[in-house]
Amino acid sequence: MTAATANGNHAIEDPVVVKTQAVSPPVDESTLFEELYQMKCFRTGEFYLKSGQMTPIYIDLRRIMSSPRVLRMAAQAMCDKVVAKNIKFDYVVGVPYAALPLATLVSDILNVPMLMKRKEAKAYGTKQLIEGVYQPGGTVLLVEDVVTSGESIRETAEAIRKENLKVMDAIAVLDRQQGATANLAEDDLNFLSFLTMEGILDGLITKNEMTEDRKQQIIEHLAKPF
Ligand SMILES: O=P(O)(O)OC[C@H]1O[C@H](OP(=O)(O)OP(=O)(O)O)[C@H](O)[C@@H]1O
């Protein structure tokens, strides 16, 4: 039996069971770096971010959806971290759009239901911004691919909280280390990532794609305010 909720969804009678056991061997940082490198996810040059800031290094994790194996590895890496930190949640939500395939796999690996937050509500149908079946009061884990300022996570958390769901934690494959942790803490969001920009730059040095001096220049550039 189900009960109607405020959002018109029907609550699931049985409580959600969070299976906090990852199913594959743990993924380590250097292995994932190597896979992302092989998939040409790291590009140096002149690129512009959502914030409008120019960046000398662009990290495009949208490419990994083209490899189910690497996509799953990245999702598994986040699951390992979430399990290690003993984070409890009832639903997984990907920050649209790039993180949606990752969130789908996190949901599958941990056997936790997924919800989907739209970038914009549709003007027809149910017009809901949050899709899926949920009970108000449930807790959401946010999943991101790459985080710069954390603004996309913050916007997603805001929309979810308006639906009387709780959000306390967000996890990303990669943190560009440009202030997201502090920015999100202001919104009571605990932010974790599996890889960091510094780790990527170090990896590119080992590949002879970058010098230590260039790494320092890039870090200084990225430390500038948006
Ligand atoms: O931390 P932030 O400063 O918000 O930047 C990170 C966001 O930017 C990218 O998404 P983008 O806006 O390019 O959209 P997409 O996911 O639809 O590609 C990325 O996938 C993150 O969601």
Side-chain angles (χ1 to χ4, degrees), residues 50 62 95-98 119 144-152:
K50 181 184 177 186
R62 297 171 193 87
V95 176
Y97 294 106
K119 276 202 176 180
E144 254 287 30
D145 60 331
V146 177
V147 171
T148 306
S149 65
E151 180 58 20
S152 304

